[in-house]
Amino acid sequence: MKKIMIYAYTSFNLGDDLFIKELCHRYPHVQFYLYSNPKYKSNFKHLKNINIIANTNLLYRGTNFLLRNLNINLAVEDILARQKDAIIYIGGSIFMQLKGWEKKFNRIKSVLKSHTPFFIIGANFGPYTDKEFVDGYRSLFRKMKGISFRDRYSYNLFKDLPNVTLADDVIFQMDTKQYQADIEDDYIVISVIKPSIRKHLEGYDEIYYEKIKDISIEFAKKGHKVILMSFCEREGDVEAINSVKSLIPEKYKDYIEEYKYKHDIDGALNIIAQSKYVVATRFHAMILGWVFKKPVFPIAYSDKMTNVIKDIDFKGSYVDFHSLKSLNPKLVYDSMETNTVDISEQRAGAEKHFAKLDDYLKKK
């Protein structure tokens, strides 16, 4: 049985946790290891092929402190990873040129020196500002076993590399049979974010919360229950929900509920599966709405959303943050009848993310 280290964003974010779950489901004959908060054992308690390595371990914390102070471009996670049969870095926005990006870059560079097979699955690249950032990662990507991007823009940056693949988002291929999508309730889901934790959306909190409030009231007036949904508490989603709820007039408050994802992946998916409509600010709220065959109104907060909207040739209405101020809530309500899309091609296309890993693991 092969042993593989997973690198992932482990902050109890529904989208990223789904990536990990899908990976483990696909390869039951592989033993996976995830260096993370030990509470992640609750998130993946039904998966028998994942081991949570507690990042709270005092020895590991002390070792990381020592490595940082010695300016060694490795962490405990990397040392453990180099002892495995392969490394899989799975996630979406994992290559953004943020302040201090060199630290992650140098860690990956050091890990690659061990010649442990390294795979990237499901990523998009950017935003970035410097050619140095692209060229640096190009040099690292050349040394990897496989890289799959989920949008054409990212793929086009590196399509000259023979180990690079383009595929639709990993979650498009999710098996939905276990979720109760056939039991549709009369509520809509609105995935809510806190805009200002993202530098390019600083100053948008007030107008965004006002618009979510207006959209919620529009549906409440028509007799629909509204569930404000948090995908990641750490990124301010719960704080955002509280801000929106504080703006709701008393006479509509009985129509407004909330759902906060933390540990129950299946519970969160059933909320979306049984909804009537999804208003999606979160990227994976948009994807999951389509997967469960719901009409979706995207509120695009980044290029990664608009790139996918264009890639799948979505004909429905949507808005980005630059146009948010002029958004009429009636458009959102009316789009409940028009904003569906057939993702059968995307379901098949998402399989390509695993082509090179399938080959490595000799999956039959």
Side-chain angles (χ1 to χ4, degrees):
M1 179 179 282
K2 289 197 183 300
K3 298 179 179 180
I4 294 181
M5 178 67 82
I6 300 173
Y7 285 3
Y9 179 68
T10 51
S11 292
F12 303 102
N13 178 304
L14 179 59
D16 291 279
D17 294 354
L18 265 176
F19 279 148
I20 298 167
K21 181 183 177 184
E22 289 299 303
L23 181 64
C24 294
H25 269 174
R26 186 177 180 89
Y27 302 105
H29 59 297
V30 172
Q31 200 64 40
F32 291 101
Y33 296 82
L34 181 70
Y35 183 78
S36 67
N37 187 314
K39 291 181 180 179
Y40 258 99
K41 290 179 181 179
S42 177
N43 294 55
F44 304 123
K45 60 187 175 185
H46 300 303
L47 295 172
K48 295 182 179 179
N49 62 332
I50 186 167
N51 301 275
I52 304 301
I53 303 171
N55 61 10
T56 53
N57 180 290
L58 288 177
L59 176 61
Y60 292 159
R61 292 173 66 183
T63 303
N64 277 331
F65 178 80
L66 183 63
L67 290 168
R68 284 194 302 270
N69 279 275
L70 292 174
N71 290 319
I72 297 174
N73 294 318
L74 285 171
V76 165
E77 180 181 19
D78 309 319
I79 295 170
L80 297 172
R82 296 200 297 182
Q83 300 167 12
K84 302 295 185 286
D85 295 305
I87 301 164
I88 297 172
Y89 195 172
I90 189 166
S93 301
I94 56 179
F95 297 115
M96 297 186 289
Q97 190 175 358
L98 304 173
K99 184 178 180 181
W101 65 269
E102 296 90 350
K103 181 179 178 181
K104 179 197 284 189
F105 177 89
N106 288 326
R107 277 183 57 191
I108 295 175
K109 185 177 180 180
S110 294
V111 170
L112 286 169
K113 289 177 181 178
S114 71
H115 302 292
T116 306
F118 201 119
F119 296 85
I120 303 290
I121 293 180
N124 49 265
F125 195 90
Y128 66 91
T129 54
D130 300 328
K131 189 173 182 292
E132 171 198 7
F133 184 77
V134 181
D135 291 344
Y137 270 107
R138 180 182 298 278
S139 69
L140 296 190
F141 290 163
R142 289 183 190 278
K143 301 173 184 177
M144 294 182 181
K145 291 286 286 185
I147 305 105
S148 66
F149 289 112
R150 66 182 180 185
D151 68 301
R152 189 165 297 279
Y153 171 82
S154 300
Y155 169 74
N156 284 340
L157 291 171
F158 304 100
K159 65 182 180 181
D160 57 302
L161 300 180
N163 56 346
V164 170
T165 305
L166 172 65
D168 297 286
D169 189 81
V170 168
I171 305 307
F172 275 121
Q173 53 83 59
M174 186 181 76
D175 187 353
T176 60
K177 288 195 293 288
Q178 73 181 94
Y179 304 105
Q180 297 176 310
D182 58 328
I183 307 175
E184 188 172 274
D185 205 345
D186 190 23
Y187 65 82
I188 70 156
V189 167
I190 303 180
S191 75
V192 180
I193 67 167
K194 181 180 180 181
S196 61
I197 72 160
R198 298 156 182 84
K199 188 172 182 180
H200 72 287
L201 295 180
E202 288 177 352
Y204 276 99
D205 284 6
E206 185 177 349
I207 182 61
Y208 173 71
Y209 298 151
E210 280 288 336
K211 287 298 179 181
I212 297 298
K213 178 261 295 181
D214 291 343
I215 293 167
S216 300
I217 291 173
E218 184 72 19
F219 280 90
K221 284 178 178 178
K222 302 292 195 301
H224 298 287
K225 185 169 68 174
V226 174
I227 296 182
L228 302 175
M229 188 170 183
S230 159
F231 272 47
C232 183
E233 182 175 2
R234 181 177 176 180
E235 294 182 2
D237 291 13
V238 173
E239 182 183 341
I241 286 173
N242 292 335
S243 295
V244 172
K245 287 178 69 177
S246 72
L247 300 173
I248 302 290
E250 194 66 37
K251 64 180 178 178
Y252 297 117
K253 286 189 174 179
D254 287 345
Y255 289 93
I256 312 299
E257 297 183 10
E258 61 186 66
Y259 182 89
K260 305 170 185 174
Y261 168 71
K262 191 65 177 282
H263 300 295
D264 186 3
I265 295 175
D266 290 339
L269 294 180
N270 270 320
I271 289 290
I272 297 173
Q274 296 173 35
S275 69
K276 193 177 187 70
Y277 184 36
V278 178
V279 179
T281 316
R282 279 281 177 185
F283 178 87
H284 277 109
M286 177 178 74
I287 301 296
L288 286 166
W290 289 334
V291 166
F292 286 116
K293 301 179 180 178
K294 307 298 175 182
V296 176
F297 187 93
I299 300 176
Y301 73 86
S302 71
D303 288 346
K304 72 179 180 181
M305 290 184 75
T306 52
N307 285 342
V308 171
I309 286 168
K310 293 171 184 175
D311 284 351
I312 72 166
D313 197 25
F314 178 62
K315 301 297 187 184
S317 300
Y318 70 95
V319 70
D320 61 25
F321 269 72
H322 298 299
S323 307
L324 193 58
K325 192 172 183 179
S326 60
L327 177 64
N328 187 334
K330 188 176 183 302
L331 173 65
V332 183
Y333 180 83
D334 291 343
S335 296
M336 184 162 53
E337 302 299 325
T338 60
N339 273 29
T340 54
V341 64
D342 178 4
I343 61 155
S344 53
E345 287 187 19
Q346 284 69 38
R347 280 191 183 279
E351 288 286 324
K352 296 176 186 176
H353 281 294
F354 303 101
K356 295 188 183 300
L357 186 56
D358 282 354
D359 184 58
Y360 173 73
L361 296 173
K362 294 179 171 57
K363 184 174 183 288
K364 303 299 182 185

